[in-house]
Structures are given as structure tokens and as C-alpha cells.
């Protein structure tokens, strides 16, 4: 049975087979490719700062930050001011936040028989888009991050506007998503505590509980994250133990015979990336408690993603306090990047998980460029002996509608995946 997955960024196809009324196999196919990596070959390295944000209309800013960090890693020594680093991190946070709101209200809500809450998705997303535009001049497809810093000079008035956008988004979250003070929510350590709250997130969790779906959608229970900044930690969780030393060089892609999406594995194992992975690696008390009850199920996955909004908003508010406007936004590199023969890589945390960029520069142009997206990690297809993360999560279910719900709890970005 073939099911076309729509109402996502792009489209995907799930080809199910059943044994005794339960899914015993599912092939995940992405049906198109745009060849962005090929387009980049032979281009000036700085062209990547304009081309790569077009990889995706949803998380294009993450691609910009991954691009500029990959180019900067080609230098043996390059200076970036703390101010520029904070601004980049803030804008990355804002993009993740607006993604989470859209996913929750536009993708997840209808799968529970509810109408799409378009205004609830768009209002906080617009606020976060305006916050990014304060620095980037526009959103989406901004190219304000450049090799050596950022191309913007913010003022105290911009900071006041930024604080207002964050406070208004916090107010929206407290009124609609989980009806409680956001500081109180941040201190929760027990799943039962959030189940007693009012709001759209507890309502969805109670629906999962009422239907007995708490443990549906479990996969390998292995997590990994490479993007490290003041909010996120890198590492992998394997067999209930966290390892901090993980290396981008050990990430490998492999082709699929049936899909344009390449599979991604770390040391020959599939890992889940995204908000649940980040929370587990950072040992978030509430998510650890939910995981202790329901493991890597759709219950824990949905809770982790929406709950991450609260943490990012409060962290962003504190990051603003660290901004020193007297610092330079841009420090010109000693060597023009076109003079380099070098290679580099980067890893940032995007809304759906770890995004990796790798670049080789030779004779003033890009010789090779590789993009590894979060959807490849979570939704790539394996084989019968070694299934992909989402494939394993759907095996054993008896209903394709539930399988689609599980599939979309990972969130699907087809255009990112096949770039």
C-alpha cells in the first residue's frame, strides 16, 4: 500500500507492506532532487552564502549559518567577535522557535482530528521572523552572516524591539501552548506536572494518553547532536550512556536505489536527531522523566519539541544581556577566502536536528560541497537488516494513519533532504 505524504515541506511517499495485519516493512521515498551540491561546484566560495539559504524555505537560516561556519573553518585562524557569535545564535534560535510553532499547529494538530490553527502558527512565527529581520534585513533567505562576522550594526532601539518580540512570544506561549508562567514550566521535572496544566500541548498529550498511544513510535532509542553553542551540547546517547566526543568526520552518507534521499549514519549506526535528542543529551529533567516512562515514542518526541520553545525563548532573552554593542560586528580576515586551498566543515542545530555542511576550496572555487540534513538522519530508508530511524518507528503498527502521525512527529522536510 502506497501513501503519499503531503502537507509537509515538499512531499514523500511511504510504501507499506503488511504481515498479519501489522506493518512489517515500509519504504520511504523522496521523489525529486534539485542538485544544489552540483550547482555549487565551480562557484566562488562566497556564492554559497547566497545559494545555500535557498536550500529550504523553512530552515534556510540554519543553512546560512552552517555555510558561513564551514567557510570559516577553512581558515587556520580567523577572529569572530562575541557580538557576532551571539547575533548568529539568536537568529538561529528564532528560526527554530518559529519552526516549532508551525509544526505543532499546522502539521500535528490535524493529525489529532483538530483544525489547523493558522493564526496560532503565524502570530508567533511572524514575531520571530521580525526578530531575525532586525539583524538580517529580511526573512527568509537572508545572507547577513558573512565570513568574519555579520553585516549589520544593531542599535539600542533594535534591542528594545527585540525584547518586545521575545516577550510577546513568551506571552503567547504562556496563554496558548501551556497555561503557566514560563519560568515555572522550565522547572518542571515530572511528566505528571505538565499533564495537569491547561493549554494546547497538555491537551495533545492527554489525547495521546486517552488513546493509549504513549509508547507508539519507538525506534532505536539512540540520539546524537553535533551543533554546540551556549544552548545546545554535542554528544551521543547510546545504551543509556552519553558520549561527548563525536566527530563530523565519522558521519557517512550512502545512496538509495529507490529514493533521492541519501541515508546517514554515524559509525555504521542510525541515530535520531532533533529536539528529543538535544534534550536527552543535555539531560533535561522533564524530558528525561517522559523518556523514562515512554522512551523514544511520539509522546516524548512531541513534548520535547514544543517544550524546547520555552527554553529557547528564555535563553535568548538572557543572551541579549550579553550583547556588547561597542564590539565590531565584522572583523576582516587576514586572507581573502578565494586565496585558500583548504577544506572545512560545520554542524549547527536546526529545528529538526543536526545540519552538517562540508566544503572543499581549490583554485579560488568550490571543488566539492556536501550537505547532510536532519531529515536524512531521521527519515532516510535502510534495508531489512538495518532500518532507518523512522522506518523502525513505524514497524509493528496496524494502521497507516497512525504510521503517518509517527512519521510526522519526526517532521519531514523533503526539499532539504534532497537539496
Amino acid at each position: 500500500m502506497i501513501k503519499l505524504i503531503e502537507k509537509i515541506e515538499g512531499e514523500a511517499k511511504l510504501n507499506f507492506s503488511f504481515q498479519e495485519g501489522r506493518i512489517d516493512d515500509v519504504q520511504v521515498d523522496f521523489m525529486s532532487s534539485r542538485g544544489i551540491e552540483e550547482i555549487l561546484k565551480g562557484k566562488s566560495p562566497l556564492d554559497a552564502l547566497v545559494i545555500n539559504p535557498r536550500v529550504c524555505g523553512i530552515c534556510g537560516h540554519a543553512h546560512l549559518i552552517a555555510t558561513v561556519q564551514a567557510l570559516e573553518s577553512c581558515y587556520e585562524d580567523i577572529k569572530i567577535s562575541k557580538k557576532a557569535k551571539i547575533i548568529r545564535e539568536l537568529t538561529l534560535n528564532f528560526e527554530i522557535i518559529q519552526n516549532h510553532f508551525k509544526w505543532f499547529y499546522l502539521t500535528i494538530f490535524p493529525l489529532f482530528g483538530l483544525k489547523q490553527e493558522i493564526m496560532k502558527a503565524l502570530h508567533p512565527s511572524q514575531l520571530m521572523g521580525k526578530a531575525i529581520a532586525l539583524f538580517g534585513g529580511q526573512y527568509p533567505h537572508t545572507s547577513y552572516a558573512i565570513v568574519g562576522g555579520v553585516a549589520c550594526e544593531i542599535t539600542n532601539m533594535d534591542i528594545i524591539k527585540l525584547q518586545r518580540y521575545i516577550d510577546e512570544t513568551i506571552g503567547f506561549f504562556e496563554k496558548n501552548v501551556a497555561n503557566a508562567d514560563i519560568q515555572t514550566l522550565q522547572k518542571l521535572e515530572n511528566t505528571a506536572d505538565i499533564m495537569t496544566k491547561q493549554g494546547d500541548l497538555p491537551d495533545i498529550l492527554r489525547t495521546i494518553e486517552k488513546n493509549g498511544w504513549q509508547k507508539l513510535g519507538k525506534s532505536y532509542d539512540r540520539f546524537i547532536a553535533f551543533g554546540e553553542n551556549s544552548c545546545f551540547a554535542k554528544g551521543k546517547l547510546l545504551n543509556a550512556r552519553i558520549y561527548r566526543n563525536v566527530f563530523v568526520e565519522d558521519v557517512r552518507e550512502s545512496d538509495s536505489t529507490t529514493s533521492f534521499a541519501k541515508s546517514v549514519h554515524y559509525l555504521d549506526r542510525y541515530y535520531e536527531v532533533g529536539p528529543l535528542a538535544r534534550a536527552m543529551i543535555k539531560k533535561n529533567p522533564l524530558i528525561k522523566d517522559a523518556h523514562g516512562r515512554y522512551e523514544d515514542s511520539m509522546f516524548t518526541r512531541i513534548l520535547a519539541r514544543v517544550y524546547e520553545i520555552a527554553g529557547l525563548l528564555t535563553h535568548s532573552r538572557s543572551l541579549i544581556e550579553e550583547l556588547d554593542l561597542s564590539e565590531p560586528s565584522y572583523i576582516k580576515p587576514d586572507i581573502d577566502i578565494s586565496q585558500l586551498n583548504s577544506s572545512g566543515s560545520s554542524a549547527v542545530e536546526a529545528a529538526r536536528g543536526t545540519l552538517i555542511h562540508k566544503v572543499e576550496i581549490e583554485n579560488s572555487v568550490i571543488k566539492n560541497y556536501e550537505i547532510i540534513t536532519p531529515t536524512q538522519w531521521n527519515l532516510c530508508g535502510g534495508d531489512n537488516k538495518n532500518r532507518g530511524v523512522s522506518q523502525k518507528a513505524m514497524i509493528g503498527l496496524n494502521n497507516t494513519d497512525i504510521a503517518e502521525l509517527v512519521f510526522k512527529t519526526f517532521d519531514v522536510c523533503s526539499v532539504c533532504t534532497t537539496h
Side-chain angles (χ1 to χ4, degrees), residues 9 49 72 236 297 304 365:
E9 182 70 5
L49 294 172
E72 288 170 348
K236 68 176 181 180
S297 67
V365 298

Side-chain angles (χ1 to χ4, degrees), residues 174-180 194-203 206:
E174 292 174 338
K175 180 179 179 182
N176 295 280
V177 179
N179 195 215
I194 198 161
M195 300 296 280
T196 63
K197 305 292 182 189
Q198 299 300 311
D200 295 329
L201 174 60
D203 284 348
R206 282 191 284 270

Side-chain angles (χ1 to χ4, degrees), residues 79-88 135 148-156 159 319-332:
K79 294 181 174 59
I80 311 294
S81 70
K82 182 180 178 183
K83 174 183 169 184
K85 291 178 181 176
I86 290 175
I87 290 173
R88 289 179 183 180
F135 301 107
V150 293
C152 63
E153 284 296 348
I154 58 171
T155 66
N156 286 316
I159 298 297
L319 263 183
I320 294 173
E321 302 298 322
E322 297 182 30
L323 273 173
D324 180 355
L325 300 191
S326 67
E327 288 187 3
S329 296
Y330 168 74
I331 301 172
K332 186 177 181 179

Side-chain angles (χ1 to χ4, degrees), residues 104-115:
F104 185 55
Y105 284 118
L106 300 182
T107 299
I108 294 300
F109 255 48
L111 294 170
F112 284 88
L114 304 169
K115 69 173 184 178

Side-chain angles (χ1 to χ4, degrees), residues 299-416:
F299 179 101
T300 320
R301 204 169 287 123
I302 291 173
L303 172 61
R305 183 158 183 179
V306 180
Y307 189 64
E308 189 177 74
I309 296 173
L312 286 170
L313 284 168
T314 53
H315 184 70
S316 296
R317 192 160 57 182
S318 66
L319 263 183
I320 294 173
E321 302 298 322
E322 297 182 30
L323 273 173
D324 180 355
L325 300 191
S326 67
E327 288 187 3
S329 296
Y330 168 74
I331 301 172
K332 186 177 181 179
D334 293 335
I335 306 172
D336 189 282
I337 197 165
S338 64
Q339 304 302 310
L340 297 178
N341 285 313
S342 183
S343 61
S345 65
S346 66
V348 303
E349 288 303 311
R352 299 170 178 84
T354 293
L355 170 67
I356 293 172
H357 281 214
K358 300 179 180 179
V359 61
E360 293 180 58
I361 302 171
E362 188 175 284
N363 299 325
S364 303
V365 298
I366 295 172
K367 179 184 178 184
N368 194 42
Y369 206 103
E370 185 178 4
I371 299 171
I372 300 172
T373 66
T375 302
Q376 284 179 256
W377 285 98
N378 288 336
L379 303 178
C380 66
D383 53 35
N384 289 338
K385 294 180 180 177
N386 195 16
R387 301 182 191 280
V389 172
S390 66
Q391 281 179 308
K392 182 169 174 56
M394 290 183 281
I395 299 295
L397 299 174
N398 61 2
N399 183 312
T400 57
D401 290 336
I402 296 296
E404 180 179 351
L405 171 56
V406 168
F407 189 66
K408 287 185 174 178
T409 60
F410 292 97
D411 202 6
V412 187
C413 185
S414 174
V415 294
C416 252

Side-chain angles (χ1 to χ4, degrees), residues 118-181:
I118 295 174
M119 292 312 298
K120 285 185 175 180
L122 294 187
H123 178 60
S125 298
Q126 285 177 337
L127 291 169
M128 292 294 94
K130 288 179 180 177
I132 297 172
L134 278 176
F135 301 107
Q138 66 177 55
Y139 184 76
H141 304 321
T142 175
S143 292
Y144 85 103
I146 54 177
V147 175
V150 293
C152 63
E153 284 296 348
I154 58 171
T155 66
N156 286 316
M157 184 59 71
D158 293 327
I159 298 297
I160 292 171
K161 289 180 182 177
L162 189 60
Q163 289 170 329
R164 184 170 67 80
Y165 294 147
I166 292 175
D167 288 345
E168 195 171 337
T169 307
I170 288 174
F172 176 89
F173 186 94
E174 292 174 338
K175 180 179 179 182
N176 295 280
V177 179
N179 195 215
D181 176 80

